[in-house]
Amino acid sequence: MLTTLKTSYTDTRAADLAWALGRDPLPALAVLDLELAGAKLQLRLLGASHQVLLREDDRSCSETVACMPGSSTPLPLGVSKRVGEWEYEFAARVETLTQGSFAGRAQELLALVADHPHGLAGTFPGSPHAFTAMLAQRHEGQVRWRTWHAYPQEGQLVVTRTRIGARMPAAL
């Protein structure tokens, strides 16, 4: 699903993004509710980036990646921790692209997410390449999602990847 977000472009620099687990739901500009093999997942586009709410049986988790005033937790390159009975893994990277490459990558990602049944993307007014996009899936008992946060004025794309679920057995 692709939507135009009715708000000003709040988080204008990739360096302003912060990460948090366990936050209450924040006001959302667009929401996609999914059920993935018993897991209820809510993808939420915020004026300041994204939030994912996951509920399965009596367990829940929320992940927020956004500009959060007063937050002291910057966007980490990686996190691995237990959340109740689940194993949670988060990774982030920043891609810096030329203006031409950025436009092409933005179009490619928006096309990928717009028509995907588990995808949500929102563009911000003022720039066709200012967007936040999210894509979720369930694989081998784990829920996974990827996000893309575009900062065309900097030529930067923040890419995150999250995996949560039962511990995966070690490969032999």
Side-chain angles (χ1 to χ4, degrees), residues 124-155:
F124 291 88
S127 173
H129 302 127
F131 69 90
T132 299
M134 309 169 74
L135 193 58
Q137 70 173 353
R138 178 129 190 173
H139 181 70
E140 296 180 352
Q142 296 188 328
V143 178
R144 301 171 184 211
W145 58 88
R146 296 189 64 179
T147 72
W148 298 269
H149 304 262
Y151 300 91
Q153 71 284 3
E154 295 184 310

Side-chain angles (χ1 to χ4, degrees), residues 67-136:
C67 293
M68 296 178 274
S71 175
S72 60
T73 308
L75 190 64
L77 294 177
V79 174
S80 182
K81 65 188 303 176
R82 289 192 61 80
V83 176
E85 297 175 15
W86 285 327
E87 293 290 327
Y88 171 90
E89 290 183 10
F90 172 86
R93 74 177 191 278
V94 178
E95 297 177 9
T96 301
L97 305 163
T98 65
Q99 189 173 6
S101 295
F102 191 93
R105 183 88 166 116
Q107 290 174 344
E108 173 186 277
L109 288 169
L110 288 171
L112 169 74
V113 175
D115 294 329
H116 196 287
H118 302 150
L120 176 62
T123 58
F124 291 88
S127 173
H129 302 127
F131 69 90
T132 299
M134 309 169 74
L135 193 58

Side-chain angles (χ1 to χ4, degrees), residues 6-28:
K6 293 172 180 34
T7 187
S8 60
Y9 193 41
T10 303
D11 53 345
T12 57
R13 294 177 351 118
D16 292 340
L17 285 176
W19 166 89
L21 275 179
R23 284 202 160 212
D24 289 333
L26 297 171

